[in-house]
């Protein structure tokens, strides 16, 4: 079983189980336990809203990893596979540590309100619906990645879904759905500008 069960334990695992000047996606997945759906989605959401996302191309890469991972959950794979090239993508570890310190001051307050509620919503078959929502969030990220801070809402969506699964808190899924709706509305609002930018 994964040792990650809330936001604070995720941050502790990432800081204590990584080292060196750079970290790879594989390092981060190994730090949280890559066979646990909730912690992996929580990790991917965290990366999406942390300073790690300032690395050029990082938002699209994490969206792609989220898409691949979540699609495999949808179809029922027990141990989702990720391509080696994505696993080998590296970040400066200082951005990881900066993100951890930025979020840890809120982690205790967030974890205080988490508790097992409506736990059936965090199990099969509902976990497949959660994964489908994460697929939608990942797809939304690609066009929003052309807009400053655009990927924040879909990244937050994935983080909330991952946190809900990790803490077995079905109530939090409601807030995650709200975040996904907000991301979709933002996409609809800026889509004409994105299409104009792409010359479509």
């Amino acid at each position: 079983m994964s040792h990650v069960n809330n936001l604070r334990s995720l941050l502790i695992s990432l800081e204590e189980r990584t080292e060196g000047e750079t970290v790879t996606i594989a390092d981060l997945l190994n730090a949280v336990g890559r066979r646990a759906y909730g912690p992996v989605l929580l990790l991917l959401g965290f990366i999406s809203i942390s300073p790690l996302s300032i690395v050029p191309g990082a938002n699209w890469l994490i969206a792609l990893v989220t898409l691949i991972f979540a699609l495999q959950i949808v179809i029922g794979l027990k141990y989702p596979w990720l391509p080696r090239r994505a696993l080998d993508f590296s970040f400066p570890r200082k951005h990881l540590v900066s993100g951890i310190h930025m979020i840890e001051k809120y982690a205790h307050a967030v974890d205080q309100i988490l508790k097992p509620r409506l736990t059936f919503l965090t199990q099969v078959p509902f976990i497949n619906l959660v994964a489908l929502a994460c697929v939608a969030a990942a797809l939304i990220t690609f066009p929003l990645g052309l807009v400053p801070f655009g990927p924040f809402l879909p990244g937050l969506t994935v983080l909330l879904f991952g946190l809900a699964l990790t803490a077995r808190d079905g109530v939090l899924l409601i807030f995650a759905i709200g975040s996904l709706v907000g991301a979709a509305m933002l996409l609809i609002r800026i889509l004409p500008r994105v299409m104009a930018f792409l010359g479509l």
Side-chain angles (χ1 to χ4, degrees):
M1 293 181 65
S2 172
H3 48 272
V4 174
N5 52 27
N6 56 25
L7 184 56
R8 189 166 184 274
S9 62
L10 172 82
L11 302 180
I12 291 172
S13 294
L14 290 176
E15 186 160 24
E16 293 185 351
R17 295 173 182 262
T18 60
E19 57 185 13
E21 293 186 2
T22 62
V23 291
T24 64
I25 296 292
D27 293 332
L28 299 179
L29 290 173
N30 290 334
V32 304
R34 65 171 68 188
R35 292 186 174 182
Y37 295 153
V40 172
L41 291 174
L42 176 58
L43 167 67
L44 294 172
F46 166 74
I47 296 173
S48 297
I49 66 172
S50 77
L52 288 173
S53 63
I54 68 175
V55 176
N59 277 320
W60 287 314
L61 173 70
I62 296 305
L64 179 61
V65 171
T66 302
L67 180 63
I68 294 171
F69 187 82
L71 277 173
Q72 293 176 82
I73 299 175
V74 171
I75 63 177
L77 286 190
K78 190 172 183 181
Y79 302 122
W81 165 90
L82 291 173
R84 171 54 56 184
R85 182 170 292 185
L87 292 173
D88 288 341
F89 189 87
S90 62
F91 306 85
R93 187 173 181 273
K94 64 181 181 180
H95 294 329
L96 172 67
V97 174
S98 175
I100 291 170
H101 293 168
M102 177 181 72
I103 292 178
E104 65 183 354
K105 57 186 175 182
Y106 306 108
H108 179 71
V110 170
D111 291 341
Q112 284 287 95
I113 64 175
L114 296 175
K115 59 182 178 181
R117 293 174 289 193
L118 301 177
T119 56
F120 69 93
L121 292 176
T122 64
Q123 300 170 358
V124 175
F126 295 100
I127 189 172
N128 302 81
L129 297 177
V130 168
L132 194 58
C134 289
V135 168
L139 291 174
I140 289 172
T141 300
F142 290 109
L144 289 185
L146 298 170
V147 180
F149 305 108
F152 180 83
L153 266 180
L156 179 62
T157 297
V158 175
L159 185 147
L160 290 176
F161 277 126
L163 192 57
L165 294 182
T166 299
R168 300 178 63 239
D169 191 342
V171 172
L172 186 58
L173 291 177
I174 299 171
F175 292 95
I177 292 169
S179 180
L180 178 60
V181 170
M185 292 177 65
L186 176 61
L187 176 60
I188 292 170
R189 184 172 182 177
I190 69 162
L191 193 56
R193 281 185 286 171
V194 171
M195 293 180 69
F197 176 80
L198 297 174
L200 300 175

